[in-house]
Amino acid sequence: MLSRRILLFAALTIMSALISTAQQTGSGRVQGVVKDASSALVAGATVKMVNTATLVKFSTTANDVGFFVFPPSQPGSYEITVEAPGMASWKGSFLLEVGQTAEIS
């Protein structure tokens, strides 16, 4: 009886992991490092991106070493903006493809 419950629990855990992985199929990831003009890392910068077709917006903050990451996102064209106190803002655009990890720096 106990081994049957363990087997059922293991099967449900594996199925949950597979479903979770399948839900992220068809998406891509966006991450990067914020640097200034002298290539020094910029901690605490605000990074925003907008899907230009759907106008869905995302925002995150760079960590202590300037690294940022967004949750898995739908493929498409994006505009990205980086702002930090005392610095000029930076704006760019990119195309995110299925399964791609876009490295922005």
Side-chain angles (χ1 to χ4, degrees):
M1 184 73 163
L2 182 59
S3 62
R4 182 177 275 184
R5 285 185 183 174
I6 292 172
L7 183 60
L8 178 61
F9 177 75
L12 288 174
T13 303
I14 292 169
M15 289 175 59
S16 296
L18 291 174
I19 290 170
S20 175
T21 302
Q23 288 176 347
Q24 293 184 13
T25 302
S27 63
R29 296 185 58 85
V30 179
Q31 64 187 39
V33 177
V34 180
K35 298 178 184 178
D36 67 11
S38 68
S39 295
L41 300 172
V42 179
T46 301
V47 185
K48 299 177 183 177
M49 70 176 197
V50 178
N51 183 308
T52 58
T54 64
L55 300 180
V56 173
K57 299 176 183 180
F58 302 92
S59 182
T60 192
T61 303
N63 68 11
D64 293 342
V65 293
F67 179 77
F68 66 91
V69 63
F70 287 98
S73 304
Q74 294 299 313
S77 294
Y78 286 85
E79 288 185 352
I80 189 165
T81 306
V82 180
E83 298 174 334
M87 304 182 91
S89 62
W90 177 86
K91 191 173 192 175
S93 60
F94 63 95
L95 177 65
L96 183 63
E97 297 180 7
V98 173
Q100 175 189 15
T101 298
E103 296 280 342
I104 311 292
S105 57

